[in-house]
């Protein structure tokens, strides 16, 4: 029987990556009720957000505020509600993750 240690170590590395942790944070904060990584739901796909704001040096601050306070008009008529359950640090973490999904 082959050792399972390499499989366990590889699985632990995947689970502990920042991307997985940030996906988990997005789930915990109910972001995925309206967004998905690769397809439009109620709101835009995170990959589309990353593409739209690629190269925009003000994107992180703009989007962090939008996560917390909400907004409207950028992606169509459906507004994004405010998310008071998301702290400023959590919003920044989520936005950095979303912007990395290009």
């Amino acid at each position: 029987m082959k050792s399972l240690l390499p499989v366990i170590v590889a699985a632990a590395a995947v689970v502990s990556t920042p991307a997985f942790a940030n996906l988990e944070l997005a789930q915990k904060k109910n972001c995925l009720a309206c967004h998905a990584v690769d397809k439009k739901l109620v709101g835009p796909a995170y990959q589309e957000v990353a593409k739209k704001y690629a190269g925009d040096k003000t994107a992180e601050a703009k989007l962090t505020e939008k996560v917390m306070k909400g907004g409207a008009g950028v992606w169509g008529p459906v507004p994004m509600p405010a998310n008071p359950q998301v702290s400023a640090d959590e919003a920044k973490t989520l936005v950095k993750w979303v912007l990395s999904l290009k």
Side-chain angles (χ1 to χ4, degrees):
M1 182 194 279
K2 292 182 180 180
S3 171
L4 290 178
L5 185 58
V7 173
I8 293 169
V9 170
V14 168
V15 170
S16 66
T17 62
F20 182 81
N22 296 330
L23 176 61
E24 197 171 68
L25 179 60
Q27 290 170 328
K28 180 180 175 185
K29 297 299 177 175
N30 295 323
C31 304
L32 301 179
C34 295
H35 297 279
V37 170
D38 59 349
K39 64 183 175 207
K40 180 183 182 344
L41 295 177
V42 175
Y46 286 147
Q47 290 174 337
E48 289 301 313
V49 174
K51 285 180 194 172
K52 180 178 186 90
Y53 290 97
D56 181 345
K57 296 189 186 310
T58 66
E60 185 178 312
K62 234 185 311 195
L63 294 176
T64 297
E65 184 171 331
K66 189 169 287 200
V67 167
M68 295 185 321
K69 296 182 180 179
V74 176
W75 295 94
V78 178
M80 179 170 161
N83 292 282
Q85 79 281 9
V86 179
S87 72
D89 286 340
E90 290 169 332
K92 189 173 183 175
T93 297
L94 289 164
V95 167
K96 283 183 177 188
W97 171 64
V98 168
L99 292 174
S100 77
L101 296 173
K102 315 173 212 171

